[in-house]
Amino acid sequence: MKLILLGPPGAGKGTQAKMLTERFDIPQISTGDILRAAVKDRTPMGVKAKSFMDAGGLVPDDVVIGIVRERLQNQDCAAGFILDGFPRTVAQADALKETLHSLGKDLDAVISLEVDTEALVERLTGRRTCRECGQGYHVKFDPPREAGRCDACGGELFQRDDDSEETIRKRLEVYHAQTSPLAAYYRNEDLLLPVDGMQEIGTVQEKILSHLQAA
Ligand code: ADP
Ligand code: ADP
Ligand code: ZN
């Protein structure tokens, strides 16, 4: 299964991707996670990416395209993959098409998670992530059993710096300007599967699975 999860910040891409990786036993490729790890390790790529991420803008196309190109050649992508947060621009989508073509792979579907803007702000301001294992939570919609502690590993939960209200507004603007055209892009390729992302996490997962079966 070769999938893209498309949708604005806070739509639930990471949450759904993690569930799909278990279901299909294929890796989640999150450019956001890869970039945050590079920032944390202060690699040259991380140093370059940090200011764009802090400001809520996009990291330059050549950087993220390089990440995904390399990652897709990894042996663990042989049976499939879930791209989460990539592509985010038409240039990235074109580069992905070229890369997959050269690897002799075709996308199965692009799942588009549709969520109202106000709900996105509430989801992002309440988002928490485990520092140890990366599991995501929400203080209201998906709380851990013990406040501030990961159910899976007991790690400490933290709030991302870019999940402040001001940076969220900026990221949503960037999404509308640069990423939302990708829905039409993949509709034209007959790959787009729109899913109502306003429902509960488990219901969204069921909808995605039934759409994939029907596709
Ligand atoms: P994205 O990867 O698209 O930015 P996340 O998967 O990180 O989004 O989800 C953003 C926040 O919203 C997280 O705190 C997550 O727990 C919560 N969330 C995800 N899906 C839903 C949902 N269907 N209903 C309510 N909250 C959700
Ligand atoms: P969210 O799903 O909440 O929008 P991500 O974790 O996917 O957040 O991305 C966090 C930040 O990393 C983005 O705001 C952007 O600066 C950078 N980033 C992630 N993926 C890409 C991409 N494909 N192109 C450019 N920048 C990216
Ligand atoms: Zn954890």
Side-chain angles (χ1 to χ4, degrees):
M1 192 68 83
K2 296 178 270 314
L3 302 175
I4 291 176
L5 281 176
L6 190 65
K13 301 181 298 295
T15 303
Q16 296 299 328
K18 285 210 164 57
M19 296 166 80
L20 291 168
T21 59
E22 287 180 17
R23 173 88 187 199
F24 293 112
D25 197 21
I26 50 178
Q28 168 194 14
I29 303 177
S30 160
T31 41
D33 286 349
I34 294 167
L35 289 166
R36 274 185 294 281
V39 169
K40 191 167 161 233
D41 294 344
R42 296 201 177 87
T43 68
M45 180 174 84
V47 171
K48 187 170 173 191
K50 186 177 187 310
S51 58
F52 297 100
M53 296 171 77
D54 286 347
L58 294 183
V59 173
D61 283 336
D62 59 329
V63 176
V64 280
I65 288 168
I67 292 175
V68 172
R69 246 192 211 134
E70 197 177 288
R71 185 67 187 80
L72 284 174
Q73 292 179 38
N74 211 303
Q75 196 44 44
D76 68 344
C77 293
F81 50 80
I82 303 162
L83 284 166
D84 158 15
F86 182 96
R88 265 176 152 98
T89 63
V90 170
Q92 291 177 22
D94 285 339
L96 176 65
K97 198 190 288 185
E98 207 182 283
T99 301
L100 291 175
H101 183 76
S102 73
L103 295 169
K105 294 179 197 272
D106 279 317
L107 287 170
D108 291 293
V110 177
I111 296 157
S112 172
L113 292 175
E114 303 185 335
V115 177
D116 300 344
T117 302
E118 284 319 305
L120 294 173
V121 176
E122 196 183 5
R123 286 186 188 184
L124 290 169
T125 49
R127 171 159 65 184
R128 300 292 184 272
T129 311
C130 176
R131 214 180 271 291
E132 305 303 323
C133 75
Q135 178 62 42
Y137 295 88
H138 190 281
V139 291
K140 185 163 145 196
F141 304 127
D142 189 15
R145 285 192 295 271
E146 186 192 337
R149 289 272 151 229
C150 176
D151 291 349
C153 78
E156 180 203 3
L157 303 188
F158 76 102
Q159 182 169 21
R160 276 167 49 177
D161 287 341
D162 61 345
D163 279 345
S164 68
E165 186 134 359
E166 193 193 341
T167 311
I168 289 170
R169 298 276 172 200
K170 169 75 179 149
R171 285 158 61 208
L172 293 174
E173 273 172 37
V174 168
Y175 174 81
H176 287 295
Q178 308 217 53
T179 310
S180 63
L182 294 180
Y185 182 104
Y186 287 116
R187 197 179 305 119
N188 281 335
E189 308 221 327
D190 231 11
L191 286 169
L192 197 74
L193 293 180
V195 172
D196 177 6
M198 290 295 287
Q199 305 163 83
E200 285 182 7
I201 292 171
T203 313
V204 175
Q205 180 74 26
E206 283 166 22
K207 289 273 152 72
I208 291 174
L209 293 173
S210 67
H211 275 65
L212 286 176
Q213 262 154 19

